[in-house]
Amino acid sequence: MDMTNQQYNQYVSDKADPSPLWKDCLWAFCVGGAICAGGQGLLALYQSWGASKEDASSWVSISLIFLASLLTGLGVFDNIAKHAGAGTLVPITGFSNAMVSPALEFKSEGFVTGTGAKLFTVAGPVLAYGISASVIYGIILYLIGLF
């Protein structure tokens, strides 16, 4: 079967279901808001236990990373993400999921060459660009301070 690009695009658009945009946006908003509200609740809980705001903030980050990693490992996070879409991409939980997913996918290849190596397929570029951006930002601040 030989099709042109236009014929193929028409074929795909005829077969594809229309996306429920407003429903998807509402779910993303609600789930993302629930994750943020949960983080805020954890912050208040940790502060009520006597932690300073700075320490409580660190514990909230650790808790959200742990929970997202645990739910990814149990296969629950992917089910939530299937329905919530971008709402689960609240930065810390989305990054945690992005770190754990490749590691789980390649665990059959071994602990070092599978899990260990694939764990950094996402983190490597993020760390490289993050460190590079911080160095550039530091140089710019230094130069501004000279004047």
Side-chain angles (χ1 to χ4, degrees):
M1 175 181 234
D2 200 17
M3 296 177 123
T4 66
N5 284 339
Q6 290 175 338
Q7 290 172 325
Y8 178 74
N9 288 336
Q10 182 62 41
Y11 175 77
V12 169
S13 66
D14 289 344
K15 296 292 182 185
D17 292 332
S19 176
L21 180 65
W22 292 106
K23 181 182 138 213
D24 291 348
C25 288
L26 180 66
W27 268 111
F29 177 79
C30 290
V31 172
I35 292 170
C36 292
Q40 196 66 36
L42 286 172
L43 181 69
L45 177 69
Y46 295 146
Q47 283 181 315
S48 74
W49 288 349
S52 67
K53 184 167 179 133
E54 186 175 305
D55 289 343
S57 297
S58 297
W59 280 104
V60 168
S61 296
I62 292 167
S63 299
L64 290 175
I65 289 168
F66 172 76
L67 288 172
S69 299
L70 179 67
L71 292 176
T72 299
L74 296 173
V76 175
F77 195 91
D78 292 336
N79 290 334
I80 295 169
K82 186 187 330 178
H83 299 291
T88 56
L89 295 179
V90 174
I92 202 161
T93 56
F95 184 69
S96 176
N97 174 265
M99 287 285 298
V100 173
S101 292
L104 290 174
E105 186 176 338
F106 291 95
K107 69 181 177 184
S108 63
E109 293 181 19
F111 186 68
V112 174
T113 57
T115 302
K118 296 300 180 183
L119 188 66
F120 294 102
T121 57
V122 173
V126 170
L127 293 173
Y129 285 109
I131 292 168
S132 301
S134 66
V135 168
I136 292 168
Y137 182 70
I139 291 170
I140 291 170
L141 283 179
Y142 176 76
L143 293 174
I144 289 172
L146 290 177
F147 298 108

